[in-house]
Amino acid sequence: MTVDPSSITIPHELLPTDGRFGCGPSKVRADQVLALAKANSNLLGTSHRQPPVKHLVGSIREGLHELFGLRKGWEIVLGNGGATTFWDAATFGLVRERSQHYVFGEFSSKFADAAAAAPHLGDPVVTRSDPGTHPAIEATADGVDTVALTHNETSTGVSMHLSRPEGDALVVVDATSAAGGLPWLPDEVDVYYFSPQKCFAGDGGLWLAACSPDAQERIREIGRSDRWCPASLDLSIALENSVANQTYNTPALATLFLLHEQIRWMLDNGGLDWCIGRTRESSAHLYEWAEASPYASPFVSNPMQRSAVVGTIDLTGVEAHDVNVALRANHIVDTDSYRKLGRNQLRIGMFPAVEPDDVAQLTKCIDHVVGVLTEATA
Ligand SMILES: *Cc1c(COP(=O)(O)O)cnc(C)c1O
């Protein structure tokens, strides 16, 4: 006998208070959206060149400075397009001649591909490791001026401790799913970039980059050079606009507003340490549950490399697809694995906005669904 997974009803007392466990776009808190509705009359639909929006951008920049504990001289730079656009901007405006990439999943490979395709750059040096692991950081290769790291590989649920490799290359970190939920030390990094739809519970379409003084110097140096760059991808133009609390072209004001609300929430509750405490609590529960489960196990075998913000859980004896269908029928969504990884796996976003108690409830829901599914086939 087989059971239609979409017909499974999870008992009410097992359900989480919010069923959004995706890895981006991810859960937006209700308070952010209520505040947005209230901001309609004085912010939405007004000029991004006037004080209300400029104050908002300034407050985002100051808030991130505080959240990350940046030294004086660092700048938060922002522009339209998301982290994917930042890769293209970086091939124009950060890499002088050659970059080195540590590749361990879909996202880290995309920046390496962008650099390899850029006709004005030398062939990148690429160090790879299997999905579910990350490569060890080596001394920077000769001729490399930019090292690309990924704080959290969202496609596999592997996170990497950030430390500056030997050598004087700029260290440029894709922190898209990590920023705001994992620890890092600014001295180990020059550029820490991300989009707001992951830990910052916002919407996509924007990139933000914390830039050290050395990174700003590189941006200005390349900006002065005769390298051609489309203006919308020009980091020197983005930097100039950002320090004036503006963007080169019109940003989505609602996106900025949601981001700002989340930064305030993070700071008001205790800052990055508080956020990290939440993601650690959520992920400790998820991995302990999986290790104790007869049918689930953490995909990342080295506990030191297991992400606190994106948990990947392999299933045996039950189809992850059926589990996801049953969860979705009960308004628990986006627990699907990264498609291209091709594993029988669940992937759970545990960003700071997600309640740790909801992760605990989620595991009870999965147990319930798997119980019904396996009973039917037994
Ligand atoms: C989501 C993600 C991206 C892509 O972000 P976009 O805003 O869609 O461009 C890049 N890198 C990582 C690590 C991500 O998680």
Side-chain angles (χ1 to χ4, degrees), residues 341-364:
L341 194 57
R343 294 185 73 89
N344 190 46
Q345 182 175 91
L346 304 176
R347 185 177 60 149
I348 314 296
M350 299 171 288
F351 300 126
V354 171
E355 294 299 330
D357 285 347
D358 277 352
V359 174
Q361 290 294 91
L362 170 65
T363 58
K364 292 181 197 165

Side-chain angles (χ1 to χ4, degrees), residues 5-315:
S6 68
S7 71
I8 296 175
T9 302
I10 299 173
H12 195 261
E13 65 273 16
L14 302 184
L15 294 173
T17 60
D18 194 297
R20 289 172 289 180
F21 294 98
C23 292
S26 63
K27 178 185 169 188
V28 180
R29 291 176 306 104
D31 286 349
Q32 291 169 275
V33 182
L34 292 173
L36 177 66
K38 284 194 196 143
N40 182 35
S41 57
N42 54 13
L43 187 94
L44 300 182
T46 71
S47 169
H48 61 300
R49 304 292 179 209
Q50 293 299 326
V53 176
K54 285 168 75 173
H55 283 149
L56 180 67
V57 172
S59 185
I60 287 169
R61 290 180 0 95
E62 280 165 27
L64 289 172
H65 217 274
E66 185 183 343
L67 187 76
F68 295 144
L70 303 177
R71 287 180 203 277
K72 203 162 171 284
W74 280 67
E75 293 289 352
I76 303 293
V77 182
L78 70 164
N80 286 319
T84 303
T85 306
F86 190 81
W87 292 324
D88 294 331
T91 65
F92 280 107
L94 280 175
V95 184
R96 200 186 272 136
E97 280 172 10
R98 170 163 295 164
S99 50
Q100 180 167 6
H101 300 257
Y102 290 87
V103 170
F104 52 110
E106 187 64 16
F107 292 105
S108 40
S109 76
K110 282 188 173 164
F111 187 16
D113 293 348
H120 56 279
L121 300 179
D123 283 340
V125 179
V126 179
T127 309
R128 289 175 196 278
S129 75
D130 290 336
T133 68
H134 69 65
I137 305 296
E138 299 152 0
T140 302
D142 284 345
V144 164
D145 53 71
T146 305
V147 173
L149 302 179
T150 303
H151 200 180
N152 188 71
E153 185 37 92
T154 318
S155 64
T156 61
V158 171
S159 65
M160 173 187 264
H161 173 76
L162 297 178
S163 61
R164 187 180 288 280
E166 257 173 70
D168 55 11
L170 279 188
V171 179
V172 175
V173 178
D174 180 353
T176 305
S177 57
L182 296 184
W184 64 290
L185 295 173
D187 285 353
E188 303 293 329
V189 165
D190 292 296
V191 179
Y192 191 77
Y193 64 91
F194 54 94
S195 310
Q197 73 273 23
K198 309 214 175 169
C199 288
F200 289 99
D203 233 334
L206 198 68
W207 60 258
L208 299 109
C211 295
S212 72
D214 285 349
Q216 294 164 51
E217 182 48 45
R218 175 73 64 84
I219 289 169
R220 292 200 177 95
E221 169 208 309
I222 295 180
R224 283 190 302 267
S225 75
D226 54 13
R227 175 183 289 174
W228 174 75
C229 180
S232 64
L233 294 176
D234 190 327
L235 290 176
S236 67
I237 294 177
L239 174 58
E240 201 180 302
N241 277 280
S242 298
V243 298
N245 295 330
Q246 302 211 39
T247 49
Y248 173 60
N249 66 315
T250 314
L253 304 188
T255 302
L256 289 171
F257 189 88
L258 293 176
L259 167 63
H260 181 256
E261 286 297 302
Q262 186 69 352
I263 296 169
R264 289 310 328 163
W265 179 76
M266 289 169 157
L267 289 172
D268 289 348
N269 279 293
L272 189 57
D273 286 344
W274 178 78
C275 297
I276 293 165
R278 278 170 78 85
T279 61
R280 283 202 178 131
E281 187 182 342
S282 293
S283 57
H285 176 82
L286 182 77
Y287 294 127
E288 281 163 20
W289 161 80
E291 283 186 323
S293 165
Y295 65 85
S297 55
F299 167 52
V300 179
S301 52
N302 181 350
M304 300 287 291
Q305 299 187 359
R306 278 179 202 158
S307 168
V309 285
V310 173
T312 45
I313 305 296
D314 280 345
L315 302 184

